[in-house]
Amino acid sequence: MTFDPALPGAPSLPAGLVQRTLTEADTADWIRALHTGFVRPPTPSPEEVAVRLPHLDLARTRGVFDAGRCVATFRSFAQEVTAVGGAPVTATAVTNVSVSATHRRRGLLSRMMEAEFAEARERGDVLATLIAAEYPIYGRFGFGPAAWYTQWKVDLRRAALDPRWSGPEDGGRIDLVDGEALRKLGPEVYEAARAARHGMVSRCTRDWERRTGWNLVPDDTWREPFHATYRAASGVVEGYVTYAADEGWDDGNQPLLTLTVRDLVAATPAAERALWRYVCAIDWVTFVKSGHRAPDDLLPMLLPDPRAARVVTHSDMLWVRVLDVIRALEARTYGTAGSLVLDVRDAAGIAGGRYRLDAAPEGASCARTAQAADLTLDVAELGALYLGDESVERLVALGRVEESAPGAAARADALFRAARRAWCPDIF
């Protein structure tokens, strides 16, 4: 393979392959290639194409074509990520990435990713984000795992909860609503929660449609869930939960239902506590699966016996790639006041350089500098640190960050770490 100097490190495509954005006429073939990459039945129905097409920004949907046939897929869309401190940061969200098995290891993803980064910088995006289907792939493009999730399974027989609970004790109430009502009430609650919790990402109208069974892609597996809201004594809806249950019975003909939380979002701690208590008090439910929660979620410690909540999954969730170091670091707040000089390495030539960060709990300023570096790190490690969820000292111990000034890692941890873990509830 040859290398294109306009895209540092990106291999040129082999002869006969063409990378380009889509036209409407390409949509069915692109969806077929996407299904192929994810090993799903490949041929899309006309109904699926009709449902998907209005939600594809064709200018941000690209493919690689071999003799006119799509063999790799890539799509991005506009997104906001909540930084530490609550500021929304513009991002390009990467999704629908696939390379057909017949064309792997030829640099197709590298070319599509580099083209996306170039366009994202032109748009002024500060970050790139994605949810990684496989862990080893995206670090080489400068992404780092910035938010993790934990899923618990609660055995309510051991939880020691009061079986007499019948509703919130704070004057609030729980109400069951349908999907149409949640499409109206949910976005405001979500936006209030997103403004307060770093790591959460913006949702569009299409996200709410899919969560409530509206305008689904044909052949999508859909089972109507329940939706419940928490309304505070003031009358304001401050949280909601979406859940479904699987039926089960033991040998003694006793119900053993497992309730799975699909989405639980609360703008206040009172709403969060009430909604968890509600799903743990539904008759016939013996087990509750929490869904994707922050590793420091309230759930286990809400139980009189936290051991009743068993961790069944703990994994990386939101990956962050910093495109603009200065704007990214200035967008968030910090745990204390201090200064650091960071030498950021970026093989793609996008965000590399030496930067001085002057930070404080109220905000920060950042600029390029010629001063000696306190810490040297790859842009992927900066992404992992960005939402305050990773330890600089741990990365030094792992050999992923170089500490040049004694005590710099400890100072960096005091600056970057947040009081709560980052949380991204959404797969995109």
Side-chain angles (χ1 to χ4, degrees):
M1 292 182 186
T2 60
F3 289 84
D4 182 348
L7 297 171
S12 297
L13 290 177
L17 300 184
V18 176
Q19 180 205 172
R20 59 176 174 82
T21 55
L22 299 195
T23 67
E24 186 172 329
D26 296 318
T27 306
D29 188 39
W30 186 88
I31 296 172
R32 177 204 52 74
L34 178 65
H35 289 340
T36 299
F38 284 90
V39 202
R40 298 169 180 163
T43 305
S45 65
E47 293 79 13
E48 179 180 358
V49 176
V51 170
R52 285 187 182 272
L53 180 57
H55 306 288
L56 293 177
D57 182 345
L58 296 180
R60 296 180 65 158
T61 305
R62 65 184 76 249
V64 176
F65 294 82
D66 186 351
R69 180 182 175 86
C70 189
V71 295
T73 63
F74 189 107
R75 181 169 72 88
S76 74
F77 60 92
Q79 185 184 73
E80 288 183 346
V81 181
T82 302
V84 177
V89 179
T90 58
T92 181
V94 174
T95 187
N96 294 159
V97 177
S98 76
V99 177
S100 297
T102 53
H103 288 71
R104 62 200 299 265
R105 302 295 183 265
R106 302 188 194 183
L108 278 59
L109 175 54
S110 295
R111 288 296 300 213
M112 293 190 293
M113 190 71 79
E114 294 291 346
E116 175 62 29
F117 288 164
E119 293 179 7
R121 285 298 302 261
E122 289 181 6
R123 290 191 298 263
D125 293 328
V126 178
L127 308 173
T129 62
L130 54 79
I131 308 295
E134 295 184 74
Y135 193 100
I137 296 175
Y138 293 101
R140 61 194 172 100
F141 299 112
F143 289 87
W148 296 66
Y149 81 90
T150 302
Q151 180 174 213
W152 287 271
K153 183 175 182 179
V154 180
D155 185 341
L156 295 174
R157 298 168 300 186
R158 291 189 50 196
L161 292 166
D162 185 352
R164 298 169 295 175
W165 190 87
S166 59
E169 296 85 5
D170 58 3
R173 58 178 290 158
I174 304 290
D175 294 303
L176 286 165
V177 300
D178 61 15
E180 182 179 1
L182 188 68
R183 286 195 295 275
K184 296 175 181 177
L185 296 169
E188 185 173 351
V189 174
Y190 184 84
E191 287 303 304
R194 182 168 76 91
R197 190 62 182 266
H198 54 284
M200 294 182 74
V201 299
S202 53
R203 289 181 180 175
C204 65
T205 300
R206 179 60 177 155
D207 292 321
W208 291 101
E209 291 178 348
R210 296 183 67 181
R211 291 172 185 277
T212 55
W214 181 259
N215 199 23
L216 295 175
V217 173
D219 300 326
D220 265 4
T221 301
W222 172 255
R223 182 181 177 189
E224 184 182 9
F226 296 93
H227 310 284
T229 61
Y230 168 84
R231 190 179 296 271
S234 64
V236 176
V237 175
E238 295 181 347
Y240 67 86
V241 61
T242 296
Y243 62 92
D246 297 324
E247 188 173 356
W249 299 79
D250 68 10
D251 292 339
N253 205 28
Q254 296 295 317
L256 290 175
L257 273 68
T258 297
L259 180 150
T260 299
V261 172
R262 296 185 185 177
D263 196 22
L264 189 155
V265 173
T268 64
E272 186 172 357
R273 293 193 301 266
L275 290 167
W276 278 126
R277 190 65 185 87
Y278 166 73
V279 297
C280 290
I282 297 174
D283 289 340
W284 288 16
V285 172
T286 305
F287 304 101
V288 171
K289 288 185 177 179
S290 69
H292 295 166
R293 309 302 302 174
D296 64 347
D297 194 84
L298 300 186
L299 174 61
M301 300 308 295
L302 284 174
L303 306 175
D305 184 354
R307 292 184 184 180
R310 177 172 58 90
V311 173
V312 294
T313 310
H314 177 75
S315 186
D316 54 286
M317 186 67 165
L318 181 71
W319 289 59
V320 167
R321 206 277 188 207
V322 177
L323 300 173
D324 187 325
V325 173
I326 292 174
R327 292 171 63 203
L329 294 183
E330 290 184 342
R332 56 158 291 171
T333 59
Y334 297 85
T336 186
S339 299
L340 281 173
V341 176
L342 305 175
D343 192 348
V344 179
R345 307 288 174 82
D346 187 353
I350 297 171
R354 191 167 294 176
Y355 302 88
R356 179 185 170 94
L357 171 67
D358 293 296
E362 300 78 21
S365 63
C366 182
R368 290 186 178 270
T369 183
Q371 291 179 255
D374 296 315
L375 298 169
T376 301
L377 69 167
D378 187 82
V379 68
E381 310 309 331
L382 183 61
L385 291 167
Y386 183 64
L387 294 176
D389 207 54
E390 182 55 270
S391 161
V392 180
E393 295 221 44
R394 182 164 74 161
L395 293 178
V396 170
L398 288 166
R400 297 177 185 172
V401 172
E402 178 184 339
E403 183 183 42
S404 300
R411 287 191 288 118
D413 273 331
L415 289 172
F416 276 87
R417 294 300 287 269
R420 294 290 303 271
R421 300 286 301 270
W423 180 48
C424 177
D426 292 3
I427 295 175
F428 53 86

